[in-house]
Amino acid sequence: MSLSSFSIRLALAGLLCASTAAQAADRPAALKALEEQGLSIVGEFDAPGGLKAWGAYSGNQALAIYNLPDGQHMMVGTMIDAKGEEVRPAGLDELVQPAIAKDMLGKLEKSRWIKDGDDKASRVVYVFTDPNCPYCMQFWQMARPWVESGKVQLRHIMVGILAPSSSLKSAAILAAKDPTKALNEHSLAMLKDRSAGVKGLDSIPSDIEADLTRNEDLMMGWDLRATPAMVWQDEQGRIQMQTGASPDIAERVFGPR
């Protein structure tokens, strides 16, 4: 079972986790079981109804893990009030969102990416890009006003998921003397003719192959299944994700012009 499906099942089903008497570092033993299955535990906070809870996350999804009164069980799920409405604990996002942002941005920063835009840009948008994806090229074109004005820097994380030639083309762009120039030229050519653009390498150097594999693992680990896939930090410091390149998403991804 994948981490993504595990976290969704937790949120929807309200999984009960029985703990043992043993504890480590004052944490209930049930938390260790959840950590072993992929959740990241951040810390404890006060929840509604007099409960204590632990904040956790999977990917960019924040979860509350509630301590039950008997001290022997914990529950992950949705809290409902007297009106039947979902209650999102006020302390959850305050505790967990900074940890999510730090974790995800750290992983993105360490990936192999191609810079497109000013280093002083107020917003950085990471975008998983496949060289055979026409929508990636449309996204590249859509971003031009923000990139050229210095407001946004794109960081293209190259992947090769759409066709057998995708990895070869991504490798060619990454191996270029000026990868930014190579990607820009490829994007312009593809916008005019989808059969145009960069010629793929005959074989991929081992270091680039390893980087492409890590990039794709990062993308799939966050359940991003299509390109372009964008990840950025919004004005409130929260991590946002978006796939696709429809014009209506421009201001959400890039901010106001």
Side-chain angles (χ1 to χ4, degrees):
M1 180 175 59
S2 69
L3 173 57
S4 175
S5 62
F6 172 76
S7 62
I8 292 173
R9 192 180 77 168
L10 288 178
L12 295 179
L15 176 66
L16 286 176
C17 300
S19 68
T20 66
Q23 297 189 2
D26 297 326
R27 285 187 174 188
L31 291 181
K32 182 178 180 181
L34 293 177
E35 286 180 309
E36 289 173 351
Q37 296 189 59
L39 262 68
S40 297
I41 310 299
V42 180
E44 198 172 12
F45 67 97
D46 293 325
L51 293 176
K52 289 285 187 179
W54 291 82
Y57 65 92
S58 173
N60 71 331
Q61 181 181 8
L63 298 170
I65 306 170
Y66 299 101
N67 292 325
L68 296 186
D70 66 1
Q72 298 300 311
H73 296 80
M74 304 189 77
M75 184 176 70
V76 183
T78 302
M79 181 178 286
I80 302 298
D81 65 14
K83 297 180 181 179
E85 298 176 350
E86 180 179 349
V87 177
R88 187 171 182 84
L92 177 61
D93 287 329
E94 181 180 347
L95 175 67
V96 175
Q97 288 299 334
I100 292 176
K102 182 178 179 180
D103 184 10
M104 294 185 71
L105 290 174
K107 291 175 179 176
L108 290 164
E109 176 66 32
K110 292 177 182 177
S111 67
R112 185 163 182 172
W113 43 267
I114 298 172
K115 182 178 71 171
D116 178 15
D118 196 326
D119 286 335
K120 296 180 181 179
S122 58
R123 176 169 293 187
V124 172
V125 178
Y126 290 89
V127 51
F128 291 93
T129 300
D130 188 301
N132 280 321
C133 171
Y135 303 107
C136 293
M137 308 311 127
Q138 291 174 18
F139 179 79
W140 176 89
Q141 185 178 49
M142 186 170 66
R144 291 305 94 197
W146 284 268
V147 173
E148 292 170 2
S149 67
K151 293 182 177 180
V152 168
Q153 181 186 93
L154 297 183
R155 294 181 177 180
H156 292 272
I157 302 175
M158 302 304 297
V159 295
I161 62 174
L162 294 184
S165 64
S166 292
S167 293
L168 297 172
K169 291 180 179 180
S170 281
I173 293 170
L174 289 170
K177 184 176 180 180
D178 185 343
T180 299
K181 181 180 179 182
L183 180 58
N184 289 347
E185 290 177 348
H186 172 73
S187 300
L188 285 170
M190 280 276 287
L191 287 167
K192 295 178 181 178
D193 180 356
R194 291 188 183 182
S195 64
V198 69
K199 181 181 182 299
L201 298 181
D202 294 329
S203 62
I204 303 176
S206 59
D207 63 322
I208 294 180
E209 185 173 23
D211 287 334
L212 289 174
T213 297
R214 282 191 288 269
N215 288 353
E216 291 160 21
D217 287 347
L218 189 61
M219 179 181 175
M220 298 304 170
W222 290 332
D223 206 26
L224 297 169
R225 304 295 177 182
T227 53
M230 294 75 77
V231 185
W232 73 98
Q233 189 173 25
D234 66 17
E235 292 86 349
Q236 287 73 46
R238 296 186 180 185
I239 294 295
Q240 301 292 338
M241 294 185 181
Q242 175 75 49
T243 57
S246 58
D248 60 300
I249 68 169
E251 290 201 3
R252 176 172 182 262
V253 178
F254 305 131
R257 290 197 188 189

